[in-house]
């Protein structure tokens, strides 16, 4: 696992996503950074560290975060600054938030267990990333990823 948190932000440009986080595009002078890739339907961000960023990113839109590091694994889906669905990746059946079942149909289609499943370990990150794409309609293709990210410092968040 890496210590990064991919985030999909529906309808936001890479520059706007960084601005909402208080990052200056191109500033890599700090210890904590974030990369933003323009994608079909919005932006995908990857930061190193973890902060509760989705609420700020989702004002007027939606955002999904898949976090896997430091022994923690979480999925958070926010809409207009409010957490709709949140769960630990190894416990997708134990959801919280204002609308915990909002993504349940997508979760079922992706084969995410509705009760505890010890054999789920090997595939949970991949399925959580697929869920983020379905929830936000943001798709990062290989062609999008081939373009260098716009980067910025986010030291103020840590």
């Amino acid at each position: 696992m890496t210590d990064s948190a991919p985030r999909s932000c529906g309808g936001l440009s890479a520059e706007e996503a960084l601005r909402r986080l208080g990052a200056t595009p191109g500033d890599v002078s700090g210890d904590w950074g974030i990369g933003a890739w323009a994608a079909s339907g919005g932006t995908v961000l990857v930061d190193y560290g973890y902060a509760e960023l989705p609420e700020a990113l989702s004002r007027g839109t939606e955002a999904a975060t898949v976090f896997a590091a430091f022994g923690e694994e979480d999925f958070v889906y926010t809409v207009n600054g409010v957490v709709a669905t949140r769960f630990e990746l190894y416990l997708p059946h134990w959801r919280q938030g204002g609308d915990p079942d909002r993504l349940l149909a997508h979760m079922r289609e992706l084969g995410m267990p509705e009760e505890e499943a010890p054999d789920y370990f090997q595939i949970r990150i991949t399925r959580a990333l697929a869920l983020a794409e379905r929830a936000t309609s943001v798709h990062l293709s290989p062609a999008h990823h081939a373009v260098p990210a716009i980067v910025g410092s986010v030291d103020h968040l840590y």
Side-chain angles (χ1 to χ4, degrees), residues 67-88:
F67 175 72
F70 313 115
E72 294 181 43
E73 296 179 2
D74 298 308
F75 179 91
V76 182
Y77 174 67
T78 59
V79 178
N80 201 24
V82 177
V83 174
T85 304
R86 173 192 303 257
F87 58 88
E88 295 178 37

Side-chain angles (χ1 to χ4, degrees), residues 4-96:
S4 63
R7 306 170 198 280
S8 299
C9 308
L12 295 182
S13 69
E15 293 83 0
E16 174 63 12
L18 289 178
R19 188 192 65 71
R20 287 187 182 199
L21 297 175
T24 302
D27 175 11
V28 292
S29 62
D31 292 327
W32 298 98
I34 192 161
W37 282 267
S40 295
T43 296
V44 173
L45 300 168
V46 175
D47 72 287
Y48 296 91
Y50 184 63
E52 290 292 325
L53 302 179
E55 290 82 358
L57 289 172
S58 71
R59 282 189 312 269
T61 187
E62 58 192 345
T65 297
V66 177
F67 175 72
F70 313 115
E72 294 181 43
E73 296 179 2
D74 298 308
F75 179 91
V76 182
Y77 174 67
T78 59
V79 178
N80 201 24
V82 177
V83 174
T85 304
R86 173 192 303 257
F87 58 88
E88 295 178 37
L89 296 187
Y90 50 88
L91 299 170
H93 59 285
W94 190 35
R95 295 176 300 282
Q96 302 170 334

